[in-house]
């Protein structure tokens, strides 16, 4: 949902910056790589240490590269399959680092095995949710469904909660509870989204298989009719001779 509306807004906002980078000779692939490196470094340096506020600030600065690189490619007219592949692949790396950072905190100084497991589930389910769509599309299905919690929602919910929870170190009481709540929301929402996509792929595949079977039957009937007509014409020709 957020991906549908927020992406269009931020694309317009970041267009001048994308044009500036192009004029400086920066390539979209370089922006993708630098952005991912920044997200990974911010997540794996700050989050395991419990520095959620500063980690969120660093990650947020770099996470917008996901919008800038595509904008640059469109402006330069160099959109490619390679660029799309690189972008999608590194998105998974960045997501893994963010939730991996949460898991490392709860496995260490955070000292909460349940929340560590929830963070790992968020990491894994996010990867599988993305895979189900990619796999469905690879076998020719549209996978036409807007899931409850997609990548944009996962990032916004978890990062906003982490940033606010980080204010606990500045003396704001009780606010650190927001991160556990956010992780549970992302975990449950990702599970629902996975179910939505699996059900959609099952329905679309059944419809596609039924359509293919019907087309095959019609083609077979047409061939049989053509053969019968040919035999009939041949028989008439023999009688005439």
């Amino acid at each position: 949902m957020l991906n549908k509306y927020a992406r269009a807004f931020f694309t317009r906002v970041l267009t001048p910056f994308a044009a500036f980078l192009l004029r400086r000779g920066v390539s979209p692939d370089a922006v993708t790589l630098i952005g991912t490196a920044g997200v990974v470094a911010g997540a794996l340096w700050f989050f395991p240490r419990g520095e959620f506020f500063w980690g969120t600030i660093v990650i947020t600065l770099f996470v917008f590269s996901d919008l800038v690189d595509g904008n640059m490619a469109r402006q330069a007219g160099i959109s490619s399959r390679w660029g799309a592949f690189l972008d999608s692949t590194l998105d998974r790396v960045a997501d893994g680092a963010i939730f991996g950072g949460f898991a490392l905190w709860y496995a260490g100084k955070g000292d909460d095995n349940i929340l560590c497991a929830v963070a790992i589930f968020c990491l894994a389910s996010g990867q599988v949710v993305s895979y189900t769509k990619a796999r469905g599309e690879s076998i020719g299905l549209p996978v036409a469904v807007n899931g409850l919690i997609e990548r944009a929602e996962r990032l916004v919910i978890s990062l906003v909660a982490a940033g606010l929870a980080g204010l606990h170190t500045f003396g704001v009481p009780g606010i650190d509870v927001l991160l556990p709540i956010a992780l549970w929301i992302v975990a449950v929402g990702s599970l629902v989204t996975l179910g939505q996509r699996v059900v959609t792929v099952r329905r679309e595949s059944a419809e596609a298989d039924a359509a293919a079977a019907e087309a095959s039957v019609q083609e077979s009937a047409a061939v049989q009719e053509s053969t019968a007509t040919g035999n009939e014409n041949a028989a008439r020709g023999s009688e005439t001779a």
Side-chain angles (χ1 to χ4, degrees):
M1 293 179 287
L2 282 176
N3 192 52
K4 180 179 179 181
Y5 300 106
R7 179 176 288 269
F9 170 75
F10 283 110
T11 295
R12 290 194 298 270
V13 171
L14 295 172
T15 292
F17 180 62
F20 170 80
L21 293 178
L22 286 172
R23 289 195 298 270
R24 294 296 182 273
V26 180
S27 71
D29 287 353
V31 172
T32 303
L33 292 168
I34 292 171
T36 302
V39 171
V40 170
L44 296 183
W45 176 258
F46 290 101
F47 286 174
R49 297 152 58 96
E51 298 177 5
F52 296 116
F53 178 79
W54 294 114
T56 300
I57 294 298
V58 171
I59 290 170
T60 301
L61 291 175
F62 284 101
V63 81
F64 282 105
S65 65
D66 187 47
L67 299 176
V68 174
D69 54 5
N71 194 315
M72 291 172 65
R74 286 189 294 273
Q75 288 191 48
I78 54 175
S79 297
S80 65
R81 291 182 175 87
W82 161 250
F85 169 81
L86 181 66
D87 186 56
S88 296
T89 300
L90 294 185
D91 282 349
R92 307 288 84 75
V93 174
D95 292 357
I98 291 171
F99 289 102
F102 293 144
L104 288 172
W105 162 250
Y106 287 115
K109 292 184 178 180
D111 193 24
D112 193 319
N113 289 336
I114 293 178
L115 287 176
C116 175
V118 173
I120 292 173
F121 180 83
C122 290
L123 191 163
S125 60
Q127 307 294 324
V128 176
V129 164
S130 298
Y131 173 79
T132 53
K133 185 174 181 64
R135 182 60 178 142
E137 291 175 342
S138 74
I139 58 176
L141 301 175
V143 196
V145 59
N146 290 323
L148 179 65
I149 297 288
E150 297 183 327
R151 183 173 188 257
E153 286 85 2
R154 289 197 302 272
L155 290 179
V156 169
I157 293 171
S158 58
L159 291 178
V160 168
L164 293 175
L167 295 176
H168 180 74
T169 59
F170 295 94
V172 180
I175 201 167
D176 53 326
V177 74
L178 291 178
L179 182 55
I181 293 173
L183 289 176
W184 278 106
I185 291 173
V186 171
V188 174
S190 296
L191 185 61
V192 172
T193 303
L194 178 59
Q196 289 175 308
R197 291 193 172 178
V198 169
V199 169
T200 298
V201 169
R202 180 176 175 80
R203 174 178 53 78
E204 291 178 348
S205 63
E207 291 172 352
D209 290 344
E214 183 178 355
S216 177
V217 170
Q218 291 177 349
E219 181 180 358
S220 177
V223 170
Q224 291 177 357
E225 182 179 353
S226 176
T227 301
T229 301
N231 292 337
E232 183 179 348
N233 290 338
R236 289 177 181 176
S238 297
E239 292 174 0
T240 303

